[in-house]
Amino acid sequence: MMKNRNMRRMLSVLLILAMLLPAISMTAFSQDLPCAEDGCSGKYRNGICSAAGHYEAAPVEAGIYKISNAGQLYWFAALVNSGDDACDAALTADITINADMTAENKLQWTPIGLYTSAREFVAYSGTFDGAGHTIFGLYYDNTAYHGRNAGLFGTLAEDGTVKDLTLADSVINGATDIGGIVSHNYGAVIGCTQSGTVTGTGATGGIVCRNLGVVEGCVNTGCISGATTGGVAAENTGEIAACENSGSISGTSSVGGIVGMNRGSIADSLNTADVTASVTHAGGVAGNHLGGEIVGSGNLGAVTGGSDYIGGVAGACLGARITESFNEGNVTGAANSEAVGGVVGAIDGTNTDKSVITSCYNTGKVSGRSWVGGIAGISGYQKTPMNVEFANSYNTGAVSGSAHVGAVVGKLSKGTVSGTYFLTGSAANSVSGATEATAEQFASGEIAAELNKASNVWYQALDIEGLEPDASPVLDPAHGVVYAGYCNCTELGYTNRENYDEPGSHVDADGDHVCDKCGHVEGEVHEHVFGDEWTVTREPTCSEPGVEERTCSECGWTQKREIPTAAHTEEVIPGKAPTCTETGLTEGKKCSVCGEIRQAQQIVPALGHTPETIP
């Protein structure tokens, strides 16, 4: 695919040079088609007129505009922006707009869903189906006042949908409200990928900027930077589900791997890249979590903040929930940073809603100046009546700072802690309701079993073939349920084998020194060495199988196998002819050795009398 992409780019550049039109980029499959504009003598190449820059109209099939080149894409944008905002479209091919993104004169993009002012804009309400195709080389550069509400789409209405589309090798640079696929989303963005660079001086998001609708199954791999910044969305008051970010995220304040500022729902999403806030509120999933819920989501990247409120999952959490989520990346504050935590930097309730962290974990290193904790840096930093709850969670990451440092919470001004564990030595002090545990207790499955007593969402690979044992519990079902009982046939412990609660002796039917039931190794495991000959120790009969065996020349273990039963010796059972008054029998068969009936006799009905007239 990369080879074809490079070929398209090379041919595009050659065509541009040949026509001396550096402002217009073309695909490798451009055709010289007469321009359809009245009086124009030019030809369409990549859907763009060589003489006057006219755009080729996209053909319509079953009410859907079919877009196959750059010119048709620009034509469709103009159609929507002129007021036909409910029309549907589908890509029928990959499209290259600018083949050389280093060239000075690149073709500038105008977003579909034009923005002129806060009161004058077009919201696209149709369905735009990428059909699995990619748009390469989209270029937008405008940091002036009107350089806002920009992306491939400007505003997507409640009835609008953008799906199954990839935006690659693109550059989008604007003022504020900048998104890779959509700026303002009120509709649905589904199954889209963005791998270009997206930058803004204000709010900036990799997939969308402000989400008030649904973003599902989307991936950002490009570098995103702005003020309030998120790998998927800068701000979210809608729903984000099953999304992923692997592009580096940087901004000023409220910077998150998935969302910068969240008031909605984030579910089943993952950030794997570094997140950096130059000032405040940095989070692996959400920079500032101000309502709603983060559930089933996690962070693997490093999270760094220049000031306060830095967390592995969220920088701050106010009147919101974080459940079944995790952080495995390092969380680092500056020399003067306060409120730094493995899951959340600072947490508190509001006047109406309490905050909850339940079934969460941190394994990354956490460092800051003060209010530094393995789960939360500080709990209760606002003067609000609603409380905070920590439950069914754990921390194994090392925590360091100069004041108010805790293995679970750095400073617990408000809230309760229950069913929560921390690794011995992770920090000097803990809080009431938190239990200290050793690395061995975490690795053995003991802590996973204890956590599951309150919430059955924890898993840990202990003895699953193909998986390395986990050092501590995880939230991934593929890593196996932990059962308390006999971890092997004779020793109590923890295992991934269900119903293993009865003691017994090891069983080694194949003699490889590995127990067939529990995998316990007794002696040196090796591959047996046998000769080709088997010795018969019991001849088979027609009623019982025989046995033959051979012996390993290395360890002397004897392997036995069954010899199939011998064939029966059949003997005929004579039949009996029926009479007028008595029934008869057919011939049968039996084994003359063991007496087994091989063919049962069948009853033949009596013949009955034959009448004869007496004169």
Side-chain angles (χ1 to χ4, degrees):
M1 182 176 182
M2 185 62 70
K3 182 178 180 181
N4 292 335
R5 187 187 304 172
N6 292 335
M7 184 180 295
R8 284 198 297 271
R9 294 174 184 164
M10 183 180 296
L11 290 175
S12 297
V13 173
L14 292 175
L15 286 170
I16 293 168
L17 294 175
M19 295 186 64
L20 298 178
L21 291 173
I24 302 176
S25 300
M26 291 156 282
T27 67
F29 304 103
S30 299
Q31 295 181 359
D32 291 340
L33 300 174
C35 181
E37 295 290 329
D38 291 340
C40 184
S41 60
K43 296 181 178 180
Y44 289 126
R45 291 181 177 173
N46 196 21
I48 303 173
C49 177
S50 59
H54 301 137
Y55 299 131
E56 179 184 6
V60 179
E61 296 180 13
I64 300 174
Y65 289 102
K66 302 294 185 178
I67 300 173
S68 61
N69 58 45
Q72 291 175 353
L73 184 63
Y74 277 72
W75 177 89
F76 181 77
L79 177 69
V80 173
N81 292 335
S82 67
D84 193 359
D85 53 44
C87 51
D88 298 331
L91 298 186
T92 60
D94 290 350
I95 294 173
T96 298
I97 298 174
N98 292 287
D100 183 5
M101 295 302 287
T102 64
E104 292 186 1
N105 298 314
K106 293 181 283 294
L107 190 61
Q108 177 93 351
W109 174 248
T110 299
I112 301 172
L114 188 62
Y115 172 90
T116 56
S117 71
R119 296 182 180 179
E120 296 181 11
F121 59 89
V122 174
Y124 178 64
S125 59
T127 296
F128 191 94
D129 186 359
H133 292 294
T134 301
I135 296 174
F136 296 98
L138 184 140
Y139 178 73
Y140 179 92
D141 186 18
N142 185 2
T143 56
Y145 174 80
H146 288 291
R148 55 180 62 200
N149 206 48
L152 175 63
F153 288 80
T155 300
L156 188 63
E158 289 185 7
D159 296 334
T161 299
V162 179
K163 64 180 182 178
D164 300 333
L165 171 71
T166 296
L167 190 63
D169 301 337
S170 299
V171 173
I172 300 174
N173 179 37
T176 189
D177 295 349
I178 309 300
I181 305 295
V182 178
S183 172
H184 281 68
N185 174 48
Y186 296 88
V189 181
I190 302 172
C192 292
T193 298
Q194 198 289 128
S195 63
T197 300
V198 183
T199 56
T201 57
T204 307
I207 301 297
V208 304
C209 180
R210 302 184 192 275
N211 179 52
L212 297 92
V214 175
V215 179
E216 182 177 350
C218 293
V219 177
N220 174 68
T221 62
C223 296
I224 314 299
S225 63
T228 297
T229 312
V232 175
E235 296 184 9
N236 174 51
T237 56
E239 300 177 16
I240 293 177
C243 291
E244 184 172 341
N245 173 67
S246 60
S248 63
I249 309 300
S250 60
T252 307
S253 299
S254 295
V255 183
I258 302 298
V259 174
M261 185 175 292
N262 181 61
R263 292 183 175 88
S265 169
I266 303 173
D268 304 322
S269 297
L270 178 67
N271 173 62
T272 62
D274 293 347
V275 176
T276 304
S278 60
V279 183
T280 184
H281 289 89
V285 176
N288 204 354
H289 185 34
L290 299 177
E293 183 174 35
I294 297 173
V295 58
S297 300
N299 171 61
L300 303 178
V303 181
T304 305
S307 182
D308 305 329
Y309 308 120
I310 308 159
V313 175
C317 178
L318 193 62
R321 299 179 64 89
I322 302 176
T323 62
E324 297 176 32
S325 298
F326 67 90
N327 172 63
E328 296 182 4
N330 291 338
V331 183
T332 307
N336 63 338
S337 291
E338 295 183 338
V340 185
V343 174
V344 63
I347 185 170
D348 208 336
T350 65
N351 291 331
T352 57
D353 300 302
K354 75 174 184 178
S355 282
V356 176
I357 292 181
T358 181
S359 299
C360 295
Y361 73 85
N362 170 66
T363 60
K365 294 180 180 179
V366 184
S367 61
R369 189 184 73 84
S370 64
W371 299 347
V372 187
I375 301 294
I378 181 173
S379 175
Y381 68 107
Q382 300 281 331
K383 294 181 179 180
T384 57
M386 299 304 288
N387 218 324
V388 178
E389 178 184 348
F390 300 91
N392 197 225
S393 302
Y394 78 83
N395 168 60
T396 60
V399 185
S400 60
S402 57
H404 301 292
V405 179
V408 174
V409 181
K411 183 176 182 180
L412 186 65
S413 297
K414 181 194 298 183
T416 60
V417 178
S418 64
T420 297
Y421 297 82
F422 64 94
L423 178 65
T424 300
S426 55
N429 69 306
S430 62
V431 292
S432 176
T435 303
E436 182 178 5
T438 65
E440 183 179 358
Q441 286 177 293
F442 275 101
S444 69
E446 178 182 346
I447 303 304
E450 290 297 320
L451 289 167
N452 274 334
K453 291 179 180 178
S455 179
N456 197 25
V457 298
W458 296 95
Y459 306 89
Q460 188 172 0
L462 301 173
D463 46 22
I464 298 177
E465 185 176 355
L467 284 179
E468 289 291 329
D470 293 314
S472 56
V474 296
L475 295 164
D476 182 357
H479 285 229
V481 174
V482 173
Y483 298 98
Y486 282 83
C487 60
N488 60 43
C489 294
T490 59
E491 298 176 3
L492 279 168
Y494 300 89
T495 178
N496 295 125
R497 289 179 293 274
E498 188 175 2
N499 297 327
Y500 213 76
D501 55 1
E502 294 284 341
S505 57
H506 296 300
V507 176
D508 185 13
D510 56 5
D512 61 355
H513 301 285
V514 179
C515 177
D516 303 334
K517 291 174 62 179
C518 71
H520 174 77
V521 177
E522 190 76 40
E524 183 179 352
V525 178
H526 74 283
E527 185 176 349
H528 295 301
V529 178
F530 297 108
D532 295 331
E533 297 294 329
W534 289 82
T535 302
V536 176
T537 58
R538 187 178 71 198
E539 294 289 347
T541 67
C542 56
S543 59
E544 293 186 358
V547 177
E548 60 183 356
E549 60 185 40
R550 60 181 181 176
T551 301
C552 173
S553 60
E554 296 290 328
C555 67
W557 179 76
T558 299
Q559 181 183 23
K560 298 181 180 181
R561 72 179 181 184
E562 190 177 87
I563 304 173
T565 55
H568 291 283
T569 303
E570 289 188 346
E571 175 185 343
V572 174
I573 303 172
K576 175 185 175 184
T579 65
C580 297
T581 58
E582 294 183 359
T583 59
L585 292 171
T586 62
E587 274 191 355
K589 293 180 180 179
K590 68 176 182 178
C591 177
S592 63
V593 177
C594 68
E596 179 182 318
I597 301 298
R598 305 293 296 162
Q599 179 179 325
Q601 291 179 290
Q602 303 295 322
I603 296 175
V604 179
L607 298 177
H609 294 286
T610 303
E612 180 181 347
T613 301
I614 302 173

